[in-house]
Amino acid sequence: MKHLFAYKLTTLVLVILAIASVAARAQETLNDANAESAEEITNFDDIFAEETSTNESAPAEQSAAKSGSSGVTVLDEMGIEGEGINEAAPVDKKTKAESVKVMDATELQGSSATIADATNRSSGVKIRQSGGMGSESKINIRGMEGKNVKVLVDGVPVDNGNGNFSVNDIPIDKIDRIEIYKSYVPERFATDGMGGVINIVTHDLPKSSITGSYSFGSFNTHKASLDAKYVWVTDSAKSRAIATGISAYYNYSDNDYEFTTPYMDTVVTRDHDRYYSYNVLPFVSFEKYFFDKATLGVIYNAMDKEIQSNSHRIEEANSNAQSYGVNLSLEKANLFVKGLSAALLFSYAFGKEAVIDTSHTYYYGWDKENVREANTAFGEISMGGASHIERENQTIVAPWNFDYAFTQNHILTWSGLYRYESQDPEDKRAAKGQTLNSAGFPGHSNSVVTGLSLENNFWNERIQNVAGVKGYYYSIKADDDGEKRIQQLTDDYAENKDFGYSENFRVKLIDDLSVVEQFAVKGGYQHSLRFPTREEIFGDGMYVQCSPNLKPEKSDNFTAGAELDMRQIPLLLKLHLEFNWFYMLMEDRIYWNNYASVPRPYYNSVGTKTTGFEIDAAVDVNEYISLSYNLTRQEAESREADLAYGIAKGLTVPNIPTLYMNFGAEFHVGDLIYRDDFFKLYWLANYTDEYYYSWKVSKRQDRTIPSSFTQDLGVEYSILANMLSWNFEVRNFMDVRVYDKYGESKPGRAFATKVKFTL
């Protein structure tokens, strides 16, 4: 009942604000009618059309093909010219009321950093990686992680279903900015999730240009990227043009670094962890042919990864994937009426993936002496777990976004996304009668998520308010194909529907007063949810039982904060301080006991309560030196007891960092040797406190992930206004042993150098 009341109240607020916005639009129209100059009105319309475009739902085709713990992610519209829907209204100017941090990726494009490296430097965000290139990356935002945190590319979900960060292959050169929404999923992003969103916004090339980069680093790591575009102007009077081009990248690494685990006393070399991936996207774009932009793209990508264990030698197991896709995107401002902007996308992808573990040899340790060999396949990942599974996947994604601006300061947005996915798995060994089928059930799913939000700015944007509602629908079908499995379906169809809502505001209390540039307070609330995945509902036919009545996870998230900007104060040029507090109540947490000796289903277990705070500070000491620091303190604990799994009330949720900090210092200077050159020297550091691997029942338990303090050093130099740049970086230059998860250490000291050019 309380959620129904809150939903009605939020809807009422939207209606009232919409009426106020209509009144404001009417008043503005009256004022325009009385204006003396028609030319001024035309100029206002031009500005108005740009500012009412939205950035978050810009079309972007993507497909994720994953095998094991690896993923290949494909981006659309890399290298499309001009300011499209996704560049016209930067989020940091438009939606400051929301709980969002915007990272300018253009400053990182000359470096060898990955998207995970950049995102991990933000407060409230901890990305834990299991290894080198191609390894899984688990995102934690304010204590929530995995499937509750969504990754988007230009507003479109990159949904791999397992909560792993799967876009590290994308070169940082292709990224304009990274938007991090914390404990909040905006209605304009048509996706479920409760922990937050990482939205990666790509950039467009200037007209008729070529840009590329190549980097080389430790462990025989190579990265290359290329974007090229040529524009034919067909009608200069109507600004009509046809652009064609190609976007591509390639990644390779042996990943042969030394590591250790709590299971052994020695340090060994990963000699079976090679990874490579590549992506090719040719496209053609038509501009100002009714639509402002219509783009057709064709895509191909592939990856191959050797599988490495953290407890014993593996020599043969591997995974691979490839996919093909086509997409069409359309953008139009002032569609039929002034102030109405639209962005539409249709994409189709077909992919194949495989996991192959059919070795006849099993090593009990890291040497080759303690070994077992046989005529039948053992499997190397785990003895008796030999597998050869192939899957075919088809995906259709159709997002849409409509913005209507009553005035420049009052904007109504309707967004949505339809998604169809089919899965056809095959167990190659079972097909030959050698074993039970362990490939999972074939089937398909349909989902529609749609959101309506209203943004209002009052009193010269001193007061900002964003309110919204979101509807969810999800249906999934599994097919009993008659294959021999341990577990059978108890139900082959599941359907869910629900709704969420949010309210965010920001009030600027001081604006441009003496040394205080601004002081503002803000707060927000959202009721959000996450639907169960295919495996959670239907199981895998082997180790996980069917659970068709599984309920969605739900959460009520509260945030509050304040920010202060000062300038020209003694000894400092600029100072930015920010404090944020968060409180989240999660219920119906989906849980599965992976240590059980018999197959069990996923089930709705104990809820959790998460509290914490963040501190951000950034200082420009002068025009040459800048400093940064942030701290995150968070605590997640069980809200009630679940005696069936030994969970008591008030226990700390396992495997989640509780305290971490980031430090940064940079020296930069321009026109150092030549005109339009730029030199930068930087130091980056991270401290993560010790945290518990399992449920914390005692301070004496020894299965903990130890604390760590890592430091990176880098130097960058560019000439010709950044047309040519060079970077050299040393990561973890103190070569400390770092664990992101219990079981294996990350790479130690590593070097990387990179050259980037633009023509």
Side-chain angles (χ1 to χ4, degrees):
M1 291 298 293
K2 66 175 182 178
H3 294 324
L4 181 60
F5 173 76
Y7 169 73
K8 291 182 177 179
L9 181 61
T10 303
T11 305
L12 179 61
V13 170
L14 278 171
V15 172
I16 294 174
L17 292 176
I19 294 173
S21 301
V22 172
R25 177 62 184 267
Q27 181 62 45
E28 184 179 280
T29 303
L30 181 61
N31 292 340
D32 289 345
N34 295 330
E36 295 180 358
S37 171
E39 182 179 355
E40 291 179 1
I41 297 176
T42 302
N43 292 339
F44 175 79
D45 290 344
D46 294 338
I47 299 172
F48 180 80
E50 292 182 5
E51 291 186 349
T52 56
S53 298
T54 183
N55 62 329
E56 292 81 10
S57 296
E61 188 275 341
Q62 42 70 42
S63 64
K66 62 182 179 60
S67 297
S69 62
S70 303
V72 174
T73 301
V74 178
L75 289 185
D76 166 43
E77 288 198 74
M78 292 295 195
I80 308 300
E81 183 274 330
E83 277 205 351
I85 298 280
N86 61 328
E87 284 87 21
V91 68
D92 56 337
K93 286 186 177 180
K94 187 180 172 198
T95 53
K96 288 184 177 179
E98 298 173 330
S99 180
V100 58
K101 172 70 173 179
V102 180
M103 305 184 69
D104 185 1
T106 58
E107 298 181 359
L108 302 171
Q109 288 179 3
S111 73
S112 57
T114 65
I115 294 175
D117 295 332
T119 309
N120 203 41
R121 298 169 190 168
S122 173
S123 63
V125 180
K126 189 65 177 176
I127 297 180
R128 296 178 293 148
Q129 296 177 265
S130 63
M133 180 186 290
S135 62
E136 71 175 36
S137 299
K138 187 76 73 175
I139 314 169
N140 185 291
I141 298 182
R142 292 181 173 177
M144 285 194 183
E145 66 178 11
K147 301 167 188 174
N148 275 311
V149 176
K150 300 299 181 179
V151 179
L152 290 76
V153 177
D154 289 330
V156 180
V158 182
D159 189 2
N160 59 14
N162 62 5
N164 293 330
F165 200 41
S166 60
V167 289
N168 268 338
D169 287 354
I170 304 170
I172 200 73
D173 304 342
K174 299 179 182 291
I175 309 303
D176 178 73
R177 64 183 182 273
I178 302 173
E179 303 165 359
I180 305 171
Y181 296 83
K182 305 173 186 178
S183 58
Y184 171 66
V185 182
E187 279 73 20
R188 63 184 174 278
F189 294 149
T191 181
D192 61 345
M194 305 180 300
V197 166
I198 294 178
N199 183 36
I200 300 164
V201 182
T202 62
H203 69 79
D204 293 333
L205 280 179
K207 294 182 178 180
S208 298
S209 59
I210 300 175
T211 182
S213 68
Y214 170 75
S215 67
F216 169 76
S218 299
F219 321 122
N220 195 25
T221 299
H222 302 263
K223 298 180 181 180
S225 70
L226 177 68
D227 290 280
K229 182 176 68 172
Y230 187 80
V231 179
W232 289 270
V233 177
T234 57
D235 190 338
S236 58
K238 296 182 179 180
S239 300
R240 288 181 176 174
I242 299 175
T244 185
I246 190 169
S247 177
Y249 63 77
Y250 172 80
N251 300 288
Y252 177 91
S253 181
D254 286 339
N255 286 326
D256 55 348
Y257 62 89
E258 292 184 342
F259 81 110
T260 185
T261 79
Y263 309 116
M264 60 189 183
D265 299 327
T266 60
V267 175
V268 299
T269 299
R270 300 172 76 99
D271 56 3
H272 191 263
D273 202 18
R274 175 193 48 79
Y275 173 83
Y276 72 81
S277 67
Y278 59 90
N279 170 289
V280 180
L281 167 62
F283 65 87
V284 60
S285 178
F286 301 88
E287 299 180 11
K288 304 300 181 181
Y289 288 86
F290 179 73
F291 290 100
D292 294 339
K293 184 182 294 182
T295 304
L296 178 66
V298 180
I299 200 162
Y300 173 76
N301 66 85
M303 79 90 179
D304 187 273
K305 177 176 173 55
E306 295 177 339
I307 296 176
Q308 173 74 57
S309 172
N310 62 4
S311 60
H312 62 278
R313 174 178 294 277
I314 288 181
E315 292 192 341
E316 296 182 23
N318 69 87
S319 62
N320 61 78
Q322 59 180 337
S323 68
Y324 311 81
V326 61
N327 61 279
L328 173 66
S329 64
L330 305 171
E331 302 175 12
K332 177 67 174 176
N334 296 321
L335 179 65
F336 305 127
V337 296
K338 182 169 57 178
L340 178 62
S341 299
L344 307 170
L345 168 70
F346 174 84
S347 70
Y348 168 80
F350 173 81
K352 292 184 177 181
E353 58 187 31
V355 178
I356 305 170
D357 181 18
T358 56
S359 173
H360 292 239
T361 303
Y362 183 86
Y363 295 96
Y364 291 93
W366 290 100
D367 56 47
K368 294 188 176 183
E369 296 179 1
N370 193 2
V371 60
R372 181 177 179 181
E373 296 180 302
N375 294 327
T376 59
F378 280 126
E380 293 184 291
I381 300 175
S382 62
M383 181 177 290
S387 64
H388 184 172
I389 297 174
E390 295 184 357
R391 294 186 179 91
E392 291 186 355
N393 305 291
Q394 297 187 68
T395 305
I396 296 174
V397 177
W400 67 86
N401 182 84
F402 292 90
D403 276 356
Y404 181 68
F406 302 100
T407 71
Q408 180 177 339
N409 291 315
H410 304 280
I411 303 171
L412 182 67
T413 300
W414 176 45
S415 301
L417 184 142
Y418 167 76
R419 187 183 190 97
Y420 167 84
E421 292 181 303
S422 69
Q423 175 178 288
D424 186 11
E426 181 182 3
D427 189 328
K428 292 290 188 178
R429 299 182 72 245
K432 298 177 181 179
Q434 298 181 29
T435 183
L436 293 170
N437 190 307
S438 61
F441 298 99
H444 65 272
S445 63
N446 291 276
S447 65
V448 178
V449 181
T450 183
L452 187 68
S453 62
L454 181 63
E455 178 186 335
N456 294 273
N457 295 279
F458 303 100
W459 197 20
N460 196 25
E461 296 190 353
R462 291 193 177 189
I463 300 177
Q464 298 178 323
N465 191 85
V466 181
V469 294
K470 183 183 289 187
Y472 308 84
Y473 173 79
Y474 179 72
S475 66
I476 183 169
K477 178 80 166 57
D479 298 327
D480 190 347
D481 52 5
E483 296 287 341
K484 188 177 180 182
R485 296 182 174 90
I486 294 178
Q487 298 295 321
Q488 298 299 319
L489 292 170
T490 57
D491 199 340
D492 62 358
Y493 180 78
E495 184 180 50
N496 277 302
K497 52 186 175 182
D498 215 317
F499 60 86
Y501 39 86
S502 68
E503 166 64 21
N504 294 272
F505 70 90
R506 180 177 185 268
V507 180
K508 191 183 296 184
L509 300 177
I510 300 177
D511 185 20
D512 198 16
L513 178 63
S514 184
V515 298
V516 179
E517 186 174 349
Q518 72 164 350
F519 175 68
V521 296
K522 60 183 179 180
Y525 163 76
Q526 184 172 55
H527 175 72
S528 55
L529 59 91
R530 178 188 75 84
F531 281 132
T533 63
R534 171 191 297 274
E535 184 185 56
E536 289 172 338
I537 293 176
F538 297 121
D540 62 1
M542 290 292 290
Y543 310 107
V544 184
Q545 288 181 335
C546 183
S547 181
N549 297 319
L550 198 64
K551 295 184 293 185
E553 296 178 329
K554 297 182 180 181
S555 184
D556 293 288
N557 300 340
F558 302 84
T559 61
E563 54 186 291
L564 172 68
D565 288 290
M566 302 182 70
R567 61 194 173 191
Q568 302 296 336
I569 56 180
L571 303 178
L572 298 177
L573 186 64
K574 294 185 68 176
L575 171 67
H576 173 81
L577 296 174
E578 188 171 347
F579 174 84
N580 289 288
W581 167 87
F582 51 92
Y583 179 76
M584 296 176 285
L585 294 174
M586 179 180 176
E587 60 185 53
D588 293 328
R589 179 176 182 263
I590 296 176
Y591 183 76
W592 182 65
N593 184 4
N594 59 336
Y595 298 109
S597 58
V598 295
R600 295 192 180 187
Y602 283 89
Y603 78 108
N604 295 108
S605 180
V606 298
T608 60
K609 177 181 70 174
T610 303
T611 58
F613 64 87
E614 304 162 359
I615 298 174
D616 281 88
V619 177
D620 288 340
V621 179
N622 50 45
E623 61 178 313
Y624 305 109
I625 300 174
S626 60
L627 308 172
S628 63
Y629 168 79
N630 62 64
L631 175 147
T632 302
R633 181 72 172 90
Q634 60 193 22
E635 191 76 32
E637 60 182 34
S638 55
R639 294 173 59 187
E640 60 266 352
D642 186 349
L643 299 180
Y645 288 91
I647 302 174
K649 182 178 180 180
L651 290 186
T652 300
V653 176
N655 212 23
I656 294 179
T658 56
L659 174 66
Y660 49 94
M661 295 177 278
N662 293 287
F663 310 83
E666 179 181 307
F667 170 79
H668 47 261
V669 60
D671 298 333
L672 181 63
I673 302 175
Y674 306 101
R675 184 179 179 182
D676 292 330
D677 72 352
F678 188 78
F679 174 81
K680 179 168 65 175
L681 178 67
Y682 56 92
W683 168 80
L684 301 168
N686 171 268
Y687 171 78
T688 303
D689 199 18
E690 176 186 72
Y691 56 99
Y692 291 92
Y693 175 72
S694 56
W695 290 93
K696 178 184 175 182
V697 296
S698 170
K699 292 183 178 180
R700 298 180 179 179
Q701 61 194 74
D702 56 0
R703 295 195 76 186
T704 61
I705 299 175
S707 61
S708 63
F709 181 68
T710 60
Q711 303 176 73
D712 303 337
L713 282 176
V715 60
E716 186 174 330
Y717 181 67
S718 65
I719 60 175
L720 303 174
N722 206 35
M723 293 182 65
L724 180 63
S725 67
W726 168 80
N727 172 272
F728 180 77
E729 190 170 275
V730 184
R731 298 182 181 176
N732 190 5
F733 68 85
M734 297 299 292
D735 199 25
V736 300
R737 188 72 65 189
V738 180
Y739 291 86
D740 260 359
K741 66 176 188 178
Y742 191 86
E744 60 186 297
S745 60
K746 294 175 62 177
R749 184 187 297 116
F751 303 86
T753 187
K754 177 179 178 179
V755 176
K756 179 178 178 291
F757 69 90
T758 301
L759 301 175

